[in-house]
Amino acid sequence: YTFTVRNRASLYWYHPHLHGQVNDQVFRGMAGMISIKGGTEEVKSLRKFRDRQIGLSLAQFTPDGSSLINPNDQNDPTATTLVNGRTDQQIDMRPGDVERWRIANMSNEGFIKVQLQGHKMWIVGEDGNPTRVAIESKMIVIPPGSRFEVLVRAKNKGTFKLKQLPYNEGFTSFPAQDLLTLNVSGSSVPAKQIPRRLNDFKDLSDAKVATKRTWRLSFGPDSAPQFEALINGKQFSPDRIDTVAKLGGVEEWTFINETTEMHP
C-alpha cells in the first residue's frame, strides 16, 4: 500500500481493515502508531518537549498462558492492558521537566480511563487534531481508536503510577490496573512553561447553516449476542449512498446514540 503523507503533523495509528476480521486482528496485536512531524500545521510551541509514544492494547491469554484467546471468548474484566506490548514499562524524568506523552488506544474495544498519580495532565491534542488551548485534566477516558496528546510535568521526587481506573461503558466493564511507572529523580531542571494558546480555528458558530442532519446510532436488536449496527435504521452497504453534501457548505450534524453502549 502507498499513502501520501498530508500536512497534518500529529499522532495516528494503523491496522488491517478487512471487513469481518478487524476485531480478531486488532485484538491479536496487528496495529501500530504513526507519528507525523513538521509541516506548516505543526504546533511550534510543542517542539521543545520530549515526546513519549505510549501505545495501549488489550491482551488475554488462555489459562495455561500459551496463546491469546479467541476474541469471541474475550472477557474484558480479566484482560490485561499492555503498554507498547509490555506490562513493565518505566519512564524516568527529573523534577520540573515537562514531556509530551502521545497516547494511542489501539485496542479492539477497550475504553481506558487513565490517571497519573500525584500529577495533572494538559491535553494538547486529540484524534490527530491540536486543541485550541492546553486543557488541564486529572483523568482522561480514551475510547478505542482514539489518541490523546498530553503534557506531563514531573513534580516531587518519587515513584508514581499511570493508572487505569475502573470504567463501565454500558456494555462492558474494564478493571483497575497499573499501566506504567514514572520515576522522578535527580536534580531539578528549570521548569518549562505549559503553553496556553496552541492553535486558532475558523469559528463556524455564527456561520449560516445550509443543512441540518441527524444520525441515529442503534443496534438491532439491542440485547442480542449477534446484532446489527445501524445508522438511521440502515446497516452499512457499499452499494448505497446515504447522503450527498455540497462542497464548501456548512452543515450541522447531530449524533444520537440510542444504544446502551458508549461508542467512538
Side-chain angles (χ1 to χ4, degrees):
Y1 297 89
T2 300
F3 298 93
T4 300
V5 178
R6 301 295 183 186
N7 185 22
R8 291 293 297 173
S10 195
L11 181 66
Y12 305 88
W13 75 301
Y14 62 91
H15 63 84
H17 209 88
L18 179 63
H19 187 61
Q21 299 298 318
V22 177
N23 185 54
D24 193 350
Q25 293 176 334
V26 172
F27 179 67
R28 297 178 188 277
M30 295 181 70
M33 301 168 72
I34 300 176
S35 177
I36 298 178
K37 297 184 178 183
T40 58
E41 295 193 17
E42 183 177 40
V43 180
K44 295 180 177 57
S45 59
L46 299 178
R47 291 177 180 174
K48 60 185 177 182
F49 303 114
R50 174 177 178 175
D51 283 347
R52 299 271 188 182
Q53 313 289 355
I54 300 175
L56 305 177
S57 58
L58 295 184
Q60 186 179 358
F61 296 88
T62 53
D64 62 1
S66 61
S67 63
L68 280 168
I69 67 165
N70 187 310
N72 293 326
D73 300 324
Q74 185 175 343
N75 183 14
D76 293 311
T78 60
T80 298
T81 302
L82 303 178
V83 177
N84 297 338
R86 292 169 48 184
T87 58
D88 57 350
Q89 293 285 2
Q90 306 271 332
I91 289 179
D92 297 323
M93 293 180 65
R94 295 166 64 183
D97 201 7
V98 178
E99 294 184 348
R100 177 169 56 164
W101 291 8
R102 315 183 83 183
I103 308 172
N105 182 350
M106 303 186 298
S107 71
N108 62 323
E109 64 180 30
F111 282 72
I112 304 175
K113 184 178 183 179
V114 299
Q115 181 183 53
L116 181 58
Q117 279 184 324
H119 292 77
K120 293 180 291 188
M121 297 175 282
W122 286 266
I123 301 170
V124 295
E126 182 178 355
D127 293 339
N129 298 292
T131 57
R132 184 189 299 270
V133 297
I135 304 169
E136 185 178 313
S137 179
K138 292 183 178 180
M139 62 187 67
I140 301 170
V141 176
I142 311 177
S146 189
R147 289 91 60 209
F148 275 83
E149 301 184 54
V150 300
L151 296 181
V152 174
R153 174 186 285 140
K155 295 178 64 178
N156 301 326
K157 294 181 181 180
T159 299
F160 308 92
K161 299 291 185 181
L162 180 65
K163 288 185 165 292
Q164 174 177 317
L165 302 180
Y167 193 75
N168 186 309
E169 48 81 70
F171 202 73
T172 305
S173 294
F174 298 92
Q177 53 189 291
D178 293 341
L179 299 179
L180 59 79
T181 301
L182 169 63
N183 300 309
V184 183
S185 62
S187 57
S188 298
V189 298
K192 295 178 181 177
Q193 292 297 316
I194 303 295
R196 295 303 173 189
R197 193 165 191 84
L198 300 170
N199 215 338
D200 289 314
F201 300 103
K202 184 177 181 181
D203 188 354
L204 297 179
S205 59
D206 295 325
K208 183 179 179 180
V209 176
T211 304
K212 294 185 178 182
R213 305 184 195 274
T214 299
W215 308 96
R216 297 182 177 272
L217 312 180
S218 63
F219 294 149
D222 189 32
S223 58
Q226 298 293 328
F227 52 77
E228 296 178 339
L230 309 175
I231 299 179
N232 290 347
K234 298 179 181 179
Q235 193 173 28
F236 168 75
S237 171
D239 301 318
R240 185 185 70 243
I241 295 176
D242 293 295
T243 189
V244 177
K246 184 177 180 181
L247 183 65
V250 177
E251 299 193 356
E252 181 179 307
W253 290 14
T254 301
F255 290 88
I256 300 175
N257 183 357
E258 297 178 337
T259 76
T260 58
E261 180 183 20
M262 295 183 187
H263 199 285

